[in-house]
Amino acid sequence: MIDLDAVRGSVAEGNPFPSSDPIPPAMEAKIVFRIEQTLQIESGAWTGHTRRRTSAKRWDKFVAPEDGPAVAVGAGGIGALRRKPIIVAVAAGFAVFAVFAVPALLGHWLRADLEAPAVVPTTVVTPTTVVTPSTTVAPTTTTVPPVAGLPITWERVPDDPMFMDAWISDAATNGERVVAVGGSDRSDPTAGVVWFSDDGSTWQRIDDPSFSETFADGPPPWWFVGMYSVAYARDLFVAAGSMGNDAAIWVSPDGLEWSRIEAPDLGGEGLESILSLTAGESGWVAVGQNDLDAGVWFSPDGRIWQIVDDTDLKGGLIFDVVEGGPGFVGVGWVQVKDSGGGTGIRAEQQEHGAVWVSTDGKDWTRTDLGQFDGEYVISSVAIDPLGNGLIAFGWDGIWRSTDGVHWSLSNEQNAQLSAVPLPGSSIAGFGGGAVAAGGGTTLSLWTSAGGGTTWVRHDQDDPVFDGYRPAVTKVLRYNDTVIAFGTAGEYLNEVSAVWIGR
């Protein structure tokens, strides 16, 4: 068991980054986006059905700054990328609202880097085969070049109408059924959506009254509803997201019949939004945004929820959470005082990648920020499917930890970024290796068969992933297949899509 008091002491002594001065609200509009996981969702490809939204976590929104290109917000994974809705804070008027599409964390910023596939000198990967060049060796020596990627063949689920006018942010399984969640533009105001499948190939859609609100005189400004995360544990599916300016949670024992949880702590002043949730030994933990601070909610059974009040959550935002380390590990960013001599808003505060840990989900400690020096954001985290410990995806590359407290930047980081899974990536163990999806504006799908130290990006010209800049934002292991969720289709007419890998 990790001594959290000792961790707090080391953080206090070795963490010169945060300022003890209160950090004022942002003085200009700023956008934070999931790489779900992530919304968590790769927002760059979410054009046709997300362009009109301007509020929500993560992220399904396109905002055009006065001095820059339009960007999409929403998945963890950048959602993002995963597709992980994050925040727009405006000091004048104190209007804070989130936009979902996530995963898509930082996806737009990476667009230029995603055009070229990773170059792997010794391995050529096609959708169906892995070809390794032969090597001439001495007669008494046998050399077998390592296989970097997995020979996965993908097929597209043809039920396009089932996914029209909606986005998929996350998925979970109980071993017998897969449940995917997201949101719909079909209604006004927007509404949450659930899809389910017993085989991964045939899907049905659920539009339940509990997924939306009705208004006699129309919805208030910036009203938005979306489901950003779903998990299964203890015979219960739990989905979470936002309902207007409040956090929202829905539960179902079977993925078919859903009910919305009524809890005062899910609402309040400012913006509350849940971006990710998980279950552990002590109960359920949901994370996201609580006005200008990181939000954490705890439940012993998935049905009764209370918000966590902890000083280590101040000035932060948690994109993703997983059971691991001392109990739970959350990742995101925290606002710190800029010591680099910047001007304007950057002179007052800037975002810094951060990790929080908890033994029980109710008492949280932020780990030493010094170990993430230079990291802008850590947007998704998961149990490492190829080894012991945890794996997290950030702007600087892939981070690894055996205890959730101490982290190191893996040698997988690459200046081109496209050679390894992107910030907010979703990851799933499969076929003795791993599959990761970062939800890029061009196909961002990787496989690894070498312990996760070498990744191969899937052929971006694979005709199975058709359309204008197809994106994969979430991968999920289901029995003997891996299911990928994302978008495909023509420019301005993209639709949510599902693929099955074998």
Side-chain angles (χ1 to χ4, degrees), residues 285-310:
V285 169
V287 300
Q289 174 186 357
N290 177 23
D291 199 13
L292 296 180
D293 300 322
V296 175
W297 292 262
F298 177 80
S299 172
D301 58 4
R303 300 178 183 273
I304 301 174
W305 291 84
Q306 292 183 322
I307 196 167
V308 174
D309 184 10
D310 195 307

Side-chain angles (χ1 to χ4, degrees), residues 30-239:
K30 60 192 308 185
I31 303 168
V32 185
F33 25 59
R34 172 139 168 162
I35 254 130
E36 130 277 304
Q37 237 191 343
T38 189
L39 260 137
Q40 243 214 39
I41 295 187
E42 176 16 77
S43 47
W46 293 80
T47 54
H49 57 285
T50 61
R51 190 176 293 271
R52 72 182 181 87
R53 282 199 295 279
T54 54
S55 60
K57 172 189 182 175
R58 269 156 89 129
W59 320 332
D60 273 345
K61 208 104 223 116
F62 280 72
V63 179
E66 294 181 0
D67 59 348
V71 295
V73 292
I78 303 167
L81 286 157
R82 201 185 167 242
R83 336 129 70 174
K84 260 107 173 50
I86 302 302
I87 38 179
V88 178
V90 184
F94 189 66
V96 179
F97 60 94
V99 185
F100 181 129
V102 241
L105 246 119
L106 312 172
H108 178 85
W109 299 348
L110 299 176
R111 181 172 299 173
D113 293 320
L114 293 175
E115 300 301 330
V119 177
V120 182
T122 59
T123 305
V124 178
V125 177
T126 70
T128 58
T129 60
V130 175
V131 180
T132 303
S134 60
T135 302
T136 302
V137 298
T140 57
T141 304
T142 300
T143 300
V144 180
V147 177
L150 299 175
I152 297 178
T153 299
W154 294 91
E155 62 178 297
R156 169 88 175 271
V157 173
D159 298 330
D160 290 356
M162 185 67 59
F163 306 107
M164 290 291 291
D165 301 315
W167 39 266
I168 301 173
S169 60
D170 199 10
T173 179
N174 61 0
E176 300 178 354
R177 173 170 295 144
V178 179
V179 171
V181 302
S184 172
D185 285 336
R186 184 175 298 174
S187 57
D188 191 13
T190 55
V193 179
V194 170
W195 298 264
F196 70 90
S197 173
D198 293 338
D199 59 8
S201 298
T202 304
W203 291 81
Q204 298 184 54
R205 175 169 170 163
I206 301 174
D207 293 289
D208 191 279
S210 71
F211 300 163
S212 62
E213 286 278 9
T214 58
F215 302 92
D217 300 322
W222 312 120
W223 183 266
F224 182 87
V225 178
M227 296 177 175
Y228 313 137
S229 183
V230 63
Y232 179 83
R234 303 179 182 182
D235 300 322
L236 190 69
F237 283 100
V238 179

